Amino acid sequence: MATEVSHSWRDSYKGMSSDNIKGLVLALSSSFFIGASFIVKKKGLKKAGASGIRAGVGGYSYLYEPLWWVGMITMIVGEIANFAAYAFAPAILVTPLGALSIIISAVLAHIILKEKLHIFGILGCALCVVGSTMIVLHAPQEREIESVKEVWDLATEPGFLFYAALVLTAVFILTLHYVPQYGQTHIMVYIGVCSLVGSLSVMSVKALGIALKLTLSGMNQLIYPQTWTFAVVVGTCVITQMNYLNKALDTFNTAVVSPIYYVMFTSLTILASVIMFKDWDRQNPTQIVTEMCGFVTILSGTFLLHKTKDMADGSCTSPSMRLSKHTDEEDGFVLESIPLKRQDSLRLPLANSSNPRD
């Protein structure tokens, strides 16, 4: 009986392809470099602030600090590894693994910067690892593509064109109508633009990565106009994405922006990948459900980690402290504990006592 179960398990799980393994290694490397870069850059900021004007008050002395540049180079290496990962593995495998950079950053901050990692933060790390393992073990095999023209054909199919049209329509409505009126008060406006554009950005990055991979293997894809079209889309999307992400980070608390952005960006990216590359067509329902459970587990761990940061800093000890600005004495950045609707957080409790539904 045990032998039959063993054989049935082997039949259902054929293992990871060589491309998926390469993509997994690159994604893990990317998470390590990006996670470590935050710590190295913060050490550089602290060192520069000790001898010059701190970045939090408008200083640029960190530009003369070698340690900050080491952190910047480390982040660039991580982003390059992440870019390359999309050329080998499906987005449904690579994108959720970005949560591991949060774990690495939290652990290194605990060891190097002596920032306390709460017991629930450790649990959050464990949940991210468990969720990532579930996704890795059940991720679909990468689609065999021999030309960038094949990617272009996938991108111009009715299903993905309809998705892209919905995304662009939503982005235009948000930027033209909602950003001017509600951008400074509703966090979902800026993050919505970032996430929607980001899903198209990842699809273009994957297409461009496949083109470069094929070119390096001897099949020149740079002669095709589709390659350069994807490159233009990548540049346009990344600039737009970073612009609105910076607006969100500048307006709202990072501890609120990061998990919400991660959830929306990753969810929309997986949806776009499923529509364009038809990842789920090569999987059975059990694998799909397991992947979704793994994704939800990662989301739970990510939210728990960010919530733990507030608990460790003591910013959740009282309502009055949640309403006030506080300054990180180590790196000089001014943070605001601002919930989803910024104007609600600035009202005094006594002012709302007469009309709690205001």
PDB file of all heavy atoms in Angstrom, residues 207-222:
ATOM      1  N   ALA A 207       8.832  39.361 -20.905  1.00  0.00           N
ATOM      2  CA  ALA A 207       9.010  39.263 -22.353  1.00  0.00           C
ATOM      3  C   ALA A 207      10.407  39.724 -22.772  1.00  0.00           C
ATOM      4  O   ALA A 207      11.083  39.063 -23.576  1.00  0.00           O
ATOM      5  CB  ALA A 207       7.944  40.095 -23.063  1.00  0.00           C
ATOM      6  N   LEU A 208      10.847  40.847 -22.194  1.00  0.00           N
ATOM      7  CA  LEU A 208      12.177  41.362 -22.519  1.00  0.00           C
ATOM      8  C   LEU A 208      13.264  40.422 -22.012  1.00  0.00           C
ATOM      9  O   LEU A 208      14.275  40.199 -22.683  1.00  0.00           O
ATOM     10  CB  LEU A 208      12.351  42.756 -21.910  1.00  0.00           C
ATOM     11  CG  LEU A 208      13.608  43.530 -22.294  1.00  0.00           C
ATOM     12  CD1 LEU A 208      13.681  43.732 -23.796  1.00  0.00           C
ATOM     13  CD2 LEU A 208      13.643  44.885 -21.582  1.00  0.00           C
ATOM     14  N   GLY A 209      13.060  39.837 -20.832  1.00  0.00           N
ATOM     15  CA  GLY A 209      14.028  38.890 -20.290  1.00  0.00           C
ATOM     16  C   GLY A 209      14.154  37.649 -21.162  1.00  0.00           C
ATOM     17  O   GLY A 209      15.260  37.137 -21.382  1.00  0.00           O
ATOM     18  N   ILE A 210      13.022  37.151 -21.671  1.00  0.00           N
ATOM     19  CA  ILE A 210      13.055  35.991 -22.567  1.00  0.00           C
ATOM     20  C   ILE A 210      13.807  36.337 -23.845  1.00  0.00           C
ATOM     21  O   ILE A 210      14.612  35.534 -24.350  1.00  0.00           O
ATOM     22  CB  ILE A 210      11.618  35.536 -22.882  1.00  0.00           C
ATOM     23  CG1 ILE A 210      10.973  34.926 -21.637  1.00  0.00           C
ATOM     24  CG2 ILE A 210      11.605  34.533 -24.032  1.00  0.00           C
ATOM     25  CD1 ILE A 210       9.499  34.617 -21.794  1.00  0.00           C
ATOM     26  N   ALA A 211      13.573  37.544 -24.369  1.00  0.00           N
ATOM     27  CA  ALA A 211      14.268  37.971 -25.587  1.00  0.00           C
ATOM     28  C   ALA A 211      15.779  38.028 -25.363  1.00  0.00           C
ATOM     29  O   ALA A 211      16.561  37.573 -26.218  1.00  0.00           O
ATOM     30  CB  ALA A 211      13.738  39.335 -26.022  1.00  0.00           C
ATOM     31  N   LEU A 212      16.206  38.564 -24.224  1.00  0.00           N
ATOM     32  CA  LEU A 212      17.637  38.650 -23.938  1.00  0.00           C
ATOM     33  C   LEU A 212      18.242  37.263 -23.700  1.00  0.00           C
ATOM     34  O   LEU A 212      19.364  36.980 -24.122  1.00  0.00           O
ATOM     35  CB  LEU A 212      17.873  39.546 -22.723  1.00  0.00           C
ATOM     36  CG  LEU A 212      17.522  41.028 -22.919  1.00  0.00           C
ATOM     37  CD1 LEU A 212      17.722  41.797 -21.618  1.00  0.00           C
ATOM     38  CD2 LEU A 212      18.367  41.639 -24.027  1.00  0.00           C
ATOM     39  N   LYS A 213      17.480  36.380 -23.040  1.00  0.00           N
ATOM     40  CA  LYS A 213      17.969  35.018 -22.804  1.00  0.00           C
ATOM     41  C   LYS A 213      18.183  34.288 -24.126  1.00  0.00           C
ATOM     42  O   LYS A 213      19.213  33.630 -24.327  1.00  0.00           O
ATOM     43  CB  LYS A 213      16.983  34.257 -21.934  1.00  0.00           C
ATOM     44  CG  LYS A 213      17.412  32.816 -21.622  1.00  0.00           C
ATOM     45  CD  LYS A 213      16.376  32.070 -20.811  1.00  0.00           C
ATOM     46  CE  LYS A 213      15.190  31.682 -21.662  1.00  0.00           C
ATOM     47  NZ  LYS A 213      14.252  30.772 -20.963  1.00  0.00           N
ATOM     48  N   LEU A 214      17.230  34.408 -25.035  1.00  0.00           N
ATOM     49  CA  LEU A 214      17.361  33.762 -26.343  1.00  0.00           C
ATOM     50  C   LEU A 214      18.504  34.375 -27.146  1.00  0.00           C
ATOM     51  O   LEU A 214      19.232  33.669 -27.851  1.00  0.00           O
ATOM     52  CB  LEU A 214      16.050  33.900 -27.119  1.00  0.00           C
ATOM     53  CG  LEU A 214      14.843  33.123 -26.552  1.00  0.00           C
ATOM     54  CD1 LEU A 214      13.571  33.492 -27.303  1.00  0.00           C
ATOM     55  CD2 LEU A 214      15.095  31.622 -26.634  1.00  0.00           C
ATOM     56  N   THR A 215      18.675  35.694 -27.024  1.00  0.00           N
ATOM     57  CA  THR A 215      19.766  36.367 -27.737  1.00  0.00           C
ATOM     58  C   THR A 215      21.125  35.872 -27.251  1.00  0.00           C
ATOM     59  O   THR A 215      22.027  35.586 -28.061  1.00  0.00           O
ATOM     60  CB  THR A 215      19.664  37.894 -27.547  1.00  0.00           C
ATOM     61  OG1 THR A 215      18.429  38.355 -28.084  1.00  0.00           O
ATOM     62  CG2 THR A 215      20.814  38.605 -28.256  1.00  0.00           C
ATOM     63  N   LEU A 216      21.267  35.742 -25.931  1.00  0.00           N
ATOM     64  CA  LEU A 216      22.537  35.268 -25.370  1.00  0.00           C
ATOM     65  C   LEU A 216      22.801  33.800 -25.700  1.00  0.00           C
ATOM     66  O   LEU A 216      23.960  33.358 -25.707  1.00  0.00           O
ATOM     67  CB  LEU A 216      22.539  35.467 -23.849  1.00  0.00           C
ATOM     68  CG  LEU A 216      22.530  36.924 -23.368  1.00  0.00           C
ATOM     69  CD1 LEU A 216      22.406  36.986 -21.855  1.00  0.00           C
ATOM     70  CD2 LEU A 216      23.798  37.645 -23.832  1.00  0.00           C
ATOM     71  N   SER A 217      21.744  33.046 -25.986  1.00  0.00           N
ATOM     72  CA  SER A 217      21.911  31.632 -26.339  1.00  0.00           C
ATOM     73  C   SER A 217      22.190  31.437 -27.831  1.00  0.00           C
ATOM     74  O   SER A 217      22.358  30.301 -28.288  1.00  0.00           O
ATOM     75  CB  SER A 217      20.665  30.838 -25.949  1.00  0.00           C
ATOM     76  OG  SER A 217      19.546  31.247 -26.716  1.00  0.00           O
ATOM     77  N   GLY A 218      22.250  32.543 -28.593  1.00  0.00           N
ATOM     78  CA  GLY A 218      22.610  32.455 -30.009  1.00  0.00           C
ATOM     79  C   GLY A 218      21.490  32.779 -30.972  1.00  0.00           C
ATOM     80  O   GLY A 218      21.714  32.858 -32.183  1.00  0.00           O
ATOM     81  N   MET A 219      20.255  32.975 -30.471  1.00  0.00           N
ATOM     82  CA  MET A 219      19.126  33.324 -31.344  1.00  0.00           C
ATOM     83  C   MET A 219      18.810  34.807 -31.152  1.00  0.00           C
ATOM     84  O   MET A 219      18.102  35.190 -30.222  1.00  0.00           O
ATOM     85  CB  MET A 219      17.905  32.457 -31.002  1.00  0.00           C
ATOM     86  CG  MET A 219      18.107  30.982 -31.292  1.00  0.00           C
ATOM     87  SD  MET A 219      16.666  29.962 -30.861  1.00  0.00           S
ATOM     88  CE  MET A 219      16.796  29.936 -29.069  1.00  0.00           C
ATOM     89  N   ASN A 220      19.357  35.634 -32.008  1.00  0.00           N
ATOM     90  CA  ASN A 220      19.253  37.086 -31.863  1.00  0.00           C
ATOM     91  C   ASN A 220      17.799  37.547 -31.967  1.00  0.00           C
ATOM     92  O   ASN A 220      17.148  37.370 -32.997  1.00  0.00           O
ATOM     93  CB  ASN A 220      20.107  37.767 -32.934  1.00  0.00           C
ATOM     94  CG  ASN A 220      20.172  39.271 -32.733  1.00  0.00           C
ATOM     95  OD1 ASN A 220      19.736  39.792 -31.707  1.00  0.00           O
ATOM     96  ND2 ASN A 220      20.718  39.976 -33.717  1.00  0.00           N
ATOM     97  N   GLN A 221      17.294  38.147 -30.884  1.00  0.00           N
ATOM     98  CA  GLN A 221      15.933  38.671 -30.863  1.00  0.00           C
ATOM     99  C   GLN A 221      15.897  40.196 -30.969  1.00  0.00           C
ATOM    100  O   GLN A 221      14.818  40.781 -31.033  1.00  0.00           O
ATOM    101  CB  GLN A 221      15.239  38.241 -29.561  1.00  0.00           C
ATOM    102  CG  GLN A 221      15.223  36.751 -29.319  1.00  0.00           C
ATOM    103  CD  GLN A 221      14.433  35.998 -30.366  1.00  0.00           C
ATOM    104  OE1 GLN A 221      13.271  36.299 -30.588  1.00  0.00           O
ATOM    105  NE2 GLN A 221      15.059  35.026 -31.015  1.00  0.00           N
ATOM    106  N   LEU A 222      17.088  40.810 -31.009  1.00  0.00           N
ATOM    107  CA  LEU A 222      17.148  42.271 -31.064  1.00  0.00           C
ATOM    108  C   LEU A 222      16.778  42.807 -32.442  1.00  0.00           C
ATOM    109  O   LEU A 222      16.584  44.018 -32.601  1.00  0.00           O
ATOM    110  CB  LEU A 222      18.555  42.755 -30.677  1.00  0.00           C
ATOM    111  CG  LEU A 222      19.042  42.330 -29.284  1.00  0.00           C
ATOM    112  CD1 LEU A 222      20.444  42.873 -29.029  1.00  0.00           C
ATOM    113  CD2 LEU A 222      18.080  42.813 -28.210  1.00  0.00           C
TER     114      LEU A 222
END
